[in-house]
């Protein structure tokens, strides 16, 4: 073999040593700082708040219109389970567990957490004050819902990644803070400085950037919460204080339904209106997730029929022989061919439809009740009631031939049901009759679109008074459950803090 | 850094001094067959100069012409060589005995050490042992041969994937498979991309002591593959050509019932013990008993024609659907050597068809490897290219369509769905399923993989005691998958056809009804899914691993009787992964087969686009001190700088300390009786780490790149197509910047014995390991605004015993019979998961796999019958006689084997060698989901156990006077359609059985043609003919009526469940002719 000369060996050796040492030294500062940011997903600090707003609003819509709200339609006598299935212990015997409709808790916190992120991110930035305002309003919206279903919940220590087991706050104190936060948010909008950025209309999928509507939404929400407190000791006084100075133009008005629509379509299941996906159809055209399971409840079918209420056809499937319902918990076996589904034309008619989180009719029903109770001045209860029913007919697209929706409502009240104390304002005399009328018609209007509002009224006032409990033989409850059970996630991962002893007969703090 | 720089300066100084010295003789000690003899002692006679050869037999000694070198090595005769004028000597020594315990083992970082010096457990398997039965994947060649090593073939598809574990699972959510190292470099491609024929040998470093030097990815042991690098010794060249043909066929079908045909509950039961009417379009077999008469099958077609078939059981109706898979394997390799180098070249072509019709694949592997020495320099290199392509159908869908077909229908007769009207989509008899032949033709998955692996090592050995080496390696894995499903549009006639033709009650003729009188309707599949949308997905991925390392090794006596060897260096890895996926589904579906986004309006949308990169630098050192080659003390230390971890967690120390005592040399007296000739005791303790849970269990470090930094994600629905609206929400998983690697501490004690001059050897180890700071994605209160958080919370332990016994039972002039038995016992236990969380459902394909505190890991959980807690018997309803399903999940126990026994044997007689490998696995459970499907369709043998007649549920109790009493008389009122598919098959407990099995893995008979037959050709040197069989026999408990308990839906940690995705097990026969020139 030919030998290498020494100087060459030295050179090669040096090169090798260099290669070796460079390998180490070449790992200069920063070589290992390559894993942040993540190139596949944005870091929170880089995303403008409008992107979080659109996502959180869409999550809110899924929360209120997704399948976990179905149980409230059962409670309120709108829906029942199919006669083709074995009676469900959860729905027919009120055997609610920690797994029942747990999205009302779990998903609410995930959505509210995103509004909290907007609040945190825009904390001291005057240019983002409007985003902070709407996020604050939406957080109040979600927490009101959570408290109405679960009473005491984590609030003051929620959304803190350093505290994975947040304590529970007293429900009344949460309500108090939510109302105060709504005032704060309205203040943000009012006092936004000249540098404050407008909401990006595209990403505000609730009001298209209209801050005046946001203000009205906040006031209407406040009105709703104040009315929830009407049966508490301090409720009436609080109402007078909180509602002082507010007039009709401060609340959601005619046609101002608060509806979320991020761009629903039938492009894919998860792009459909979640309610449509649940009770009507999937994107490929097959039956919605629970289409075959939910059926019209005989109680409400009979109610609408009793008043010849044309909204019935927009809420329920019209069979050849008309709309038919079943009693909740009945043992009668009835196939879906004979019992109406809950996919009318109103809210489940199109995959593209908005999810209404606070329809205008609620605003007017609330104003009517507040006026009737003397909580607010300058609003005529009868007029507000009339507008409320008109708005209900409008949002369901209910029409008599030759009449538009609002005219149809007038006809329904003035001529079809003239003199009926549960429809015709002029037929009522006592304050109790007026409240019964308002709340009963509100119940009739809330079908499917906002069963939680009806559930709130029912637990507060007991109206409709003849709302039936399940007739299933296994049912031992004498009344509709007062609340939902804390979810499995809390019992498993925050067990130390969950209030003990809460069952379906434990009252929400505002219940009489 | 500074230390390393000054170290290199010092080395440079030594080197310069050495050059100034006088003449060096370079030599190598080899066996007569050319294999190197490591660690021989070379003494210059008449002087004090003594040197030791290295592991490759090489030595350098200072001597002058005329000096006599005395070469001695354990187990070899001492040899003397006189130094001549040359500077290179090759010393051939003759073996005195074959010592099983005095072998050389490749340990971590590619360092070769004498087996007796090791304080931890290793096992070596030669290339020849691996390829004996011509496995396509080398993992199959390792099965059953080493204790502590579990190789599971998770299904029998084309180029069947395997899962390898050493000493069980340590990490709950991380990767538990060993690191694979090929020729010293970490190998990221799948083990099946290595040509088994290229293997020189494989060493498994079973415990983490052995692998600690690999740092944070080392806790699962290491499989070290050393490829062939050409022949050793003097100049020669040989070329080997071999050709193998294999036939694979179904070995075991699930147990099927043989008595009943079609009905799916269409009729109202009139009398429970009278069976239902025959329904011609059913996928379920809850109908009347076979009577051999001709019955209408399916519905009448648009032309009025009707298929008629005899109503009788066809014994192999389902087995015959499957093919005999044929695989051909062509190998060519060239090995050559010269004085200072070697060269290796190989190519392999595998073309395979599977038992699943139309499934086919090809794998080609090319490799070039070699070494070259230039004085004190040497280079080792290898470059390989692997091409792999498979074209498969959707096994799960096809198997379901086959299995849910009544046993009187011969599917092979319905193959021509494009031309035969009774096989077409509209005319196929089954109302609920597509013709499997159509599924096979119209749904294809095409996977292509192109891998390039390169490895270059440069070494410099300036002194006999010093070696420096630098290695650069690259793995580039390029994958592409494409899955295509065509649209199916049913004809308007099919959509409205309600006509039914039934046999008359006495079977003498048929009756036609315009509409189904039994409640059935239109062709269900057409109604539910018309048009059945097309689907399309295409994905490409690239996974690049770049590695380089630099190692300085020192081997020197440090004092009288004490020897020191040590290494220090660094190892750098950079892993980059990128993938891009498109797809079209649902309303985006393609209406005709065009897969080009640039020319078709309804184009597939981008469904995934991700890039990952992570880097890791390990700084390590290890040292061994030995006293007179009797007592060895070894330690290693490593720290990793890992880009995936935050700066505070970047210097995590890992270490190992181990030692061994060669008792037989230390206390010579114990060998006096002539029974024991070798005894060694070893002890080891180590701390290693695992960061792979960040990568959701993947071994690729890049996948764990971004777990510590918070991100937003696009929630369900976003971006909305109709409005082009984007949205980002908080990631439901809280990123944890403070996450640390899991820590695995392991203690090991071992004893190695050689008896009867190594005719019998025993190597046994006991170990216990404990994982703390286990990384889990722990569920948290949703009130945090998140769903889970990444935490260092879990704790697990593993305890195990390993034993390898090898014996040469017979050794005579003509016959050699050797026998090996290995035994593995491993018990894992979950100590805690996170706080008080009692259980964790494992991510992956098996929803029944759980980690439960206080239990082995993983365990299977599913529903059981409601049982009487006192007696454990099943409670049945006092009226209907039916049991009911419990509401809570029941834990049925471990799904990983607790005990594994491997048996290998080999008998040689003249030119014949017969060898076999068998193994047993036991102590674990398997959940056969395929059984649920079988009983749903009424095909499973269970459903006919009582002849579909009323029966008393075995071992049941019934409530009488508020007490549970044994049920002897309350029968299940309908033991037909209203029990098996509606009640029984919903209880998972009915399908969980012992997964124990003995398997005859390999039987190989080789005949080496006598030299005299070969040499006359003047060309060939040797030739051999081999016939072999794999998976010939499986012995299962009779309760396992379904499939191979080794199969698993999940190829990750969540083993223990098999389903329709795993076609029935197979048996493989092969024949090989091999000629060496």
């Amino acid at each position: 073999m030919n030998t290498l000369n020494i100087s060459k060996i030295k050179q090669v050796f040096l090169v090798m040593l260099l290669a070796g040492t460079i390998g180490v030294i070449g790992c200069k500062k920063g070589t290992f700082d390559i894993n942040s940011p993540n190139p596949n997903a944005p870091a929170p600090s880089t995303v403008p708040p409008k992107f979080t707003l659109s996502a959180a609003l869409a999550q809110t819509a899924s929360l209120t219109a997704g399948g976990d709200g179905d149980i409230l339609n059962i409670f309120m006598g709108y829906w029942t389970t199919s006669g083709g299935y074995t009676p469900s212990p959860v729905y027919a015997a009120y055997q609610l567990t920690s797994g029942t409709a747990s999205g009302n808790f779990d998903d609410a916190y995930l959505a509210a957490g995103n509004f909290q992120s907007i609040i945190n991110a825009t904390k001291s930035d005057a240019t983002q004050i409007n985003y902070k305002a709407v996020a604050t309003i939406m957080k109040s919206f979600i927490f009101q819902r959570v408290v109405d279903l679960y009473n005491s919940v984590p609030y003051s220590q929620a959304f803190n990644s350093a505290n994975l087991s947040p304590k529970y706050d007293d429900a009344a104190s949460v309500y108090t803070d939510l109302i105060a936060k709504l005032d704060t948010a309205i203040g943000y909008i009012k006092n936004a400085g000249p540098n404050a950025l407008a909401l990006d209309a595209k990403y505000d999928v609730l009001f298209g950037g209209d801050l005046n509507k946001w203000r009205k939404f906040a006031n209407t929400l406040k009105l709703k919460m104040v009315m929830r407190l009407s049966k508490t000791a301090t409720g009436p006084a609080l109402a007078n204080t909180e509602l002082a100075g507010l007039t009709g133009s401060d609340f959601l008005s005619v046609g101002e339904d608060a509806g979320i629509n991020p761009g629903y379509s039938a492009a894919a299941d998860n792009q459909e209106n979640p309610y449509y996906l649940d009770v009507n159809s999937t994107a490929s055209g097959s039956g919605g997730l629970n289409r075959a399971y939910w059926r019209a409840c005989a109680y409400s079918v009979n109610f609408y029929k009793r008043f010849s209420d044309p909204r019935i056809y927009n809420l329920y499937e019209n069979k050849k022989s008309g709309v038919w319902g079943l009693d909740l918990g009945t043992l009668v076996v009835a196939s879906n061919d004979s019992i109406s589904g809950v996919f009318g034309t109103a809210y489940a008619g199109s995959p593209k439809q908005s999810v209404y989180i606070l329809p205008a009719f609620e605003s007017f029903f609330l104003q009517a009740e507040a006026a009737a109770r003397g909580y607010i001045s300058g609003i005529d209860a009868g007029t507000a009631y009339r507008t409320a029913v008109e708005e209900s007919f409008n949002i369901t697209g209910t029409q008599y031939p030759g009449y538009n929706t609002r005219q149809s409502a007038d006809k329904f009240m003035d001529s079809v049901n003239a003199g009926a104390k549960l429809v015709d304002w002029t037929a009522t005399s006592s304050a109790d009759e007026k409240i019964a009328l308002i709340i009963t018609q509100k119940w009739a209007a809330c079908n499917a679109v906002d069963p939680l509002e009806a559930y709130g009224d029912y637990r507060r006032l007991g109206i409709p008074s003849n709302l039936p409990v399940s007739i299933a033989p296994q049912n031992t409850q004498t009344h509709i459950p007062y609340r939902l059970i804390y979810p499995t996630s809390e019992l498993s991962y925050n067990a130390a803090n969950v209030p003990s002893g809460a069952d379906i007969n434990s009252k929400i703090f505002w219940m009489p | 850094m500074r230390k390393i720089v000054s170290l290199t300066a010092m080395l440079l100084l030594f080197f310069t001094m050495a050059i100034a010295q006088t003449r060096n003789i370079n030599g190598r000690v080899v066996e007569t067959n050319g294999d190197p003899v490591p660690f021989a002692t070379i003494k210059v006679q008449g002087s004090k100069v003594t040197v030791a050869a290295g592991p490759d037999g090489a030595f350098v000694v200072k001597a002058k012409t005329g000096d006599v070198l005395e070469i001695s090595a354990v187990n070899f005769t001492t040899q003397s060589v006189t130094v001549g004028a040359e500077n290179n000597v090759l010393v051939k020594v003759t073996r005195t005995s074959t010592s099983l315990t005095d072998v050389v083992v490749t340990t971590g970082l590619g360092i070769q050490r004498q087996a007796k010096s090791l304080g931890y457990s290793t096992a070596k398997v030669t290339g020849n042992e691996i390829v004996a039965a011509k496995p396509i994947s080398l993992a199959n060649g390792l099965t059953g041969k080493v204790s502590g090593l579990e190789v599971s073939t998770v299904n029998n598809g084309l180029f069947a994937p395997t899962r390898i574990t050493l000493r069980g699972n340590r990490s709950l959510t991380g990767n538990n498979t060993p690191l694979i190292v090929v020729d010293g470099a970490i190998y990221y491609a799948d083990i099946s991309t290595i040509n088994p024929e290229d293997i020189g040998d494989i060493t498994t470093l079973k415990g983490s002591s052995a692998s600690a030097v690999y740092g944070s990815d080392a806790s699962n042991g290491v499989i070290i593959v050393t490829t062939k690098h050409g022949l050793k010794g003097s100049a020669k060249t040989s070329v080997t050509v071999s050709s193998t043909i294999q036939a694979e066929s179904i070995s075991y079908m699930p147990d099927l019932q043989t008595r009943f045909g079609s009905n799916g509950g269409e009729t109202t039961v009139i009398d429970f013990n009278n069976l239902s009417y025959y329904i011609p379009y059913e996928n379920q077999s809850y109908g009347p008993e076979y009577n051999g008469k001709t019955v209408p099958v399916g519905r009448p077609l648009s032309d009025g024609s009707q298929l008629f078939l005899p109503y009788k059981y066809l014994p192999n109706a389902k087995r015959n659907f499957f093919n005999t898979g044929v695989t051909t394997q062509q190998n060519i390799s060239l090995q050559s050597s010269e004085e200072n180098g070697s060269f290796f070249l190989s190519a392999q072509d595998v073309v395979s068809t599977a038992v699943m019709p139309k499934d086919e694949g090809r794998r080609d592997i090319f490799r070039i490897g070699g070494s070259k020495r230039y004085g004190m320099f040497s280079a080792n290199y290898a470059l390989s290219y692997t091409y792999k392509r498979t074209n498969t159908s959707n096994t799960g869908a096809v198997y379901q369509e086959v299995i849910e077909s009544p046993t009187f229908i011969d599917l092979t007769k319905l193959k021509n769905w494009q031309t035969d009207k009774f096989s077409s989509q509209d005319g196929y008899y089954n109302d609920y399923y597509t013709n499997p032949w159509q599924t096979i033709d119209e749904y294809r998955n095409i996977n292509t993989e192109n891998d390039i692996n390169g490895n270059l090592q440069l070494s410099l050995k300036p002194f006999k005691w010093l070696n420096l080496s630098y290695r650069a390696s690259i793995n580039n894995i390029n994958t592409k998958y494409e899955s295509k499903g065509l649209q199916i549009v049913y004809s308007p006639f099919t959509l409205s056809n309600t006509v039914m033709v039934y046999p008359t009650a006495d079977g003498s003729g048929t009756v036609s009804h315009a509409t189904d009188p039994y409640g059935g309707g239109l062709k269900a599949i057409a109604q539910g899914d018309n048009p059945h949308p097309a689907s399309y997905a295409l994905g490409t991925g690239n996974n690049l691993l770049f590695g380089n390392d630099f190692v300085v090794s020192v081997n020197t006596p440090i004092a009288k009787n004490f020897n020191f060897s040590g290494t220090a260096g660094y190892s750098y890895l950079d892993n980059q992964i990128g993938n891009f996926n498109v797809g079209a589904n649902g309303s985006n579906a393609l209406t005709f087969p065009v897969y080009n986004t640039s020319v078709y309006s309804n184009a597939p949308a981008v469904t995934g686009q991700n890039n990952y990169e992570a880097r890791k630098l390990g700084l390590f050192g290890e040292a061994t001190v030995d006293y007179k080659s009797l007592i060895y003390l070894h330690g290693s230390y490593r720290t990793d700088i890992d880009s995936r971890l935050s700066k505070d967690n970047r210097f995590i120390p890992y270490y190992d300390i181990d030692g061994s005592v060669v008792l037989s040399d230390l206390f010579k007296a114990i060998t006096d009786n002539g029974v024991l000739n070798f005894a060694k005791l070893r002890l080891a303790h180590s701390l290693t780490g695992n960061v792979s849970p960040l990568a959701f269990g993947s071994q690729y470090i890049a996948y764990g790149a971004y777990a510590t930094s918070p991100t937003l994600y696009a929630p369900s629905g976003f971006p909305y197509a109709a409005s082009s609206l984007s949205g980002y929400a908080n990631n439901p998983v809280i990123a944890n910047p403070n996450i640390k690697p899991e820590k695995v501490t392991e203690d090991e004690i071992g004893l190695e014995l050689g008896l009867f001059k190594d005719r019998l050897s025993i190597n046994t180890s006991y170990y216990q390991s404990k994982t703390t700071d286990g990384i889990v994605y722990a569920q948290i209160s949703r009130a945090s605004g998140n769903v889970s958080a990444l935490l260092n919370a879990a704790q697990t332990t593993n305890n195990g015993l390993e034993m390898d016994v090898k014996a040469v039972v017979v050794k005579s002039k003509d016959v050699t019979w050797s026998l090996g038995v290995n035994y593995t016992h491993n018990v894992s236990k979950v100590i805690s998961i996170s706080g008080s969380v009692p259980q964790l459902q494992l991510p992956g394909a098996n929803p029944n796999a759980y980690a439960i505190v206080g239990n082995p890991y993983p365990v299977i959980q599913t529903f059981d019958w409601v049982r009487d807690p006192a007696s454990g018997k099943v409670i049945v309803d006092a009226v209907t006689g039916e049991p009911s399903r419990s509401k809570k999940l029941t834990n049925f126990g471990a799904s990983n084997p607790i005990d594994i026994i491997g048996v290998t044997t080999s008998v040689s007689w003249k030119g014949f060698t017969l060898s076999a490998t068998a193994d047993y696995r036991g102590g674990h459970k398997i959940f056969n989901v395929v059984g649920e499907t079988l009983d749903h369709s009424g095909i499973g043998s269970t459903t006919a156990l009582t002849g579909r007649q009323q029966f008393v549920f075995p071992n049941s109790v019934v409530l009488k006077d508020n007490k549970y009493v044994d049920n002897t008389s309350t029968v299940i009122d309908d033991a037909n359609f209203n029990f098996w598919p509606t009640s029984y098959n919903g209880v998972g407990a009915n399908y969980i059985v012992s997964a124990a099995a003995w398997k005859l893995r390999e039987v190989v008979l080789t005949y080496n043609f006598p030299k005299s037959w070969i040499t006359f050709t003047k060309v060939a040197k040797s030739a051999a003919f081999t016939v072999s069989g794999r998976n010939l026999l499986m012995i299962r408990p009779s309760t396992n009526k379904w499939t191979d308990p080794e199969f698993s839906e999940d190829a990750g940690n969540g083993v223990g469940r098999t389903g329709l995705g795993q076609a029935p097990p197979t048996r493989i026969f092969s024949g090989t002719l091999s000629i060496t020139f």
Side-chain angles (χ1 to χ4, degrees), chain B residues 338-508:
Chain B
E338 51 182 280
E339 198 68 7
N340 289 304
S342 62
F343 181 68
F344 179 78
L345 184 70
S346 78
Q348 182 187 56
D349 175 40
V350 175
V351 178
S352 193
T353 61
V355 291
M356 180 62 77
K358 248 188 127 174
D359 278 12
E360 58 183 20
R362 180 170 200 142
R363 190 187 73 184
D364 291 298
I365 304 177
F366 301 89
R367 168 177 282 273
I368 293 177
S371 61
K372 190 81 182 168
R373 286 196 303 132
Y374 300 97
M376 64 188 73
F377 293 95
S378 63
N380 270 283
Y381 59 91
L383 183 67
S384 71
Y385 168 76
T386 303
Y387 166 83
K388 192 164 106 176
R389 184 176 194 270
T390 58
N391 184 338
T392 57
S393 57
N394 181 348
T395 302
V398 174
Y399 192 23
Q400 178 158 36
E401 287 157 3
V402 171
I403 215 82
E404 294 215 19
S405 188
T407 46
F408 74 97
I409 291 173
D410 183 357
L411 287 170
T412 58
K413 300 250 164 62
L414 299 173
K415 195 170 185 174
N416 302 317
W417 65 274
Q418 278 143 321
T419 51
D420 171 33
K421 60 186 177 181
F422 293 120
S423 308
S424 71
Q425 65 195 32
D426 289 299
Y428 184 60
Y429 80 94
N430 194 321
D431 256 13
Y432 301 91
Y433 289 106
T434 312
N435 185 339
W437 297 106
Q438 182 174 4
T439 304
I440 283 177
D441 282 343
E442 298 209 322
Y443 294 83
R444 304 304 302 170
N445 299 306
I446 300 132
N447 283 280
T448 316
E449 183 171 335
N450 285 279
D451 298 341
I452 294 174
N453 302 294
N455 184 345
L456 174 64
Q457 184 187 12
L458 294 172
S459 304
L460 174 62
K461 196 172 171 67
F463 316 114
K464 64 179 173 53
W465 53 270
L466 178 67
N467 187 65
L468 302 109
S469 83
Y470 173 80
R471 178 188 292 111
S473 65
I474 193 163
N475 278 202
N476 192 354
I477 310 163
N478 203 307
T479 54
K480 177 183 161 192
Y481 77 86
E482 198 175 13
S483 94
K484 299 174 178 178
L486 295 184
Q487 191 182 39
I488 297 175
V489 185
Y490 293 92
S491 75
F493 174 82
T494 302
L495 294 172
S496 60
N497 182 14
T498 56
V499 180
M500 308 282 154
V501 177
Y502 296 96
T504 50
D506 61 2
S508 61

Side-chain angles (χ1 to χ4, degrees), chain B residues 94 123 189 195 291 333 343 415 500 548 592 603 606 613 672 678 767 846 967 983 1043-1044 1046:
Chain B
T94 323
N195 178 355
N291 57 13
S333 67
F343 181 68
K415 195 170 185 174
M500 308 282 154
N548 71 71
F592 52 91
V606 175
E613 182 175 5
D672 286 350
F678 179 82
Y767 61 88
N846 177 2
N967 174 28
S983 170
T1043 189
D1044 186 340
E1046 192 176 321

Side-chain angles (χ1 to χ4, degrees), chain A residues 162-371:
Chain A
N163 179 5
L164 301 180
S165 34
K167 72 162 176 121
Y168 277 57
D169 292 279
D170 171 60
S173 71
V174 176
Y175 244 64
T176 307
D177 194 61
L178 296 178
I179 292 170
K181 285 288 189 309
L182 286 171
D183 288 334
T184 309
I186 293 166
Y188 291 155
I189 296 174
K190 263 188 195 153
N191 304 322
N195 294 331
L197 295 169
L199 295 180
D200 188 320
K202 180 179 176 182
Y203 292 84
D204 174 8
V205 294
L206 181 53
F207 289 122
D210 186 337
L211 284 162
N212 191 40
K213 280 190 187 162
W214 274 104
R215 183 186 64 83
K216 290 181 176 186
F217 175 72
N219 277 321
T220 312
L221 193 54
K222 189 166 89 169
L223 175 61
K224 180 188 262 202
M225 294 174 74
V226 166
M227 295 317 295
R228 275 284 199 286
L229 299 173
S230 68
K231 290 290 168 186
T232 63
T234 56
L238 181 84
N240 283 320
T241 322
E242 285 295 331
L243 302 178
L246 294 177
T247 67
S249 62
D250 291 317
F251 302 110
L252 290 172
S253 191
V254 173
E256 292 177 340
D257 296 303
I260 292 171
N261 197 332
Y264 293 130
S265 74
D269 284 1
N270 64 10
Q271 305 225 336
E272 290 191 335
N273 173 316
Y275 180 71
Y276 180 88
L277 175 66
D278 186 34
V279 303
N280 198 321
S281 297
T282 63
S284 62
S286 55
L289 310 177
N290 288 306
R291 178 184 170 121
Y293 195 53
W294 301 131
R295 296 286 115 184
C297 178
Y299 173 77
S300 38
V301 168
N302 293 339
F303 180 89
Y304 292 118
K305 283 182 175 173
R306 177 177 155 204
F307 297 103
S308 307
D309 191 332
R311 284 177 291 187
I312 192 170
Y313 302 112
N314 295 336
L315 295 167
Y316 299 114
E317 181 190 16
N318 195 3
K319 298 282 184 187
K320 278 176 192 158
S321 56
V323 177
W324 294 101
L326 277 178
D327 288 325
L328 177 63
T330 182
L331 293 180
V332 171
V333 178
S335 86
N336 282 351
D337 293 341
S338 58
I339 306 298
S340 299
V342 298
F343 39 94
T345 52
Y347 310 112
S350 158
K352 298 179 181 174
Q353 193 160 32
S354 299
V355 169
Y356 297 108
I357 61 168
L358 187 48
F361 69 72
E362 274 185 37
S363 173
F364 287 101
F365 278 121
L366 288 163
Q367 290 176 51
E369 189 191 352

Side-chain angles (χ1 to χ4, degrees), chain A residues 13 24 32 35 40 114 262 490, chain B residues 460 611 613 643 723 730 781:
Chain A
F13 188 31
V24 173
F32 297 97
N35 288 155
N40 305 310
N114 287 305
E490 283 299 288
Chain B
L460 174 62
N611 289 291
E613 182 175 5
S643 71
S723 55
N730 291 325
S781 167

Side-chain angles (χ1 to χ4, degrees), chain B residues 100-117:
Chain B
L100 293 166
T101 44
D102 198 47
V103 291
V104 177
V105 175
T106 305
T107 64
L109 307 169
I111 295 159
Q112 294 200 315
R113 294 175 60 189
Q114 272 180 289
K116 71 174 182 180
S117 76

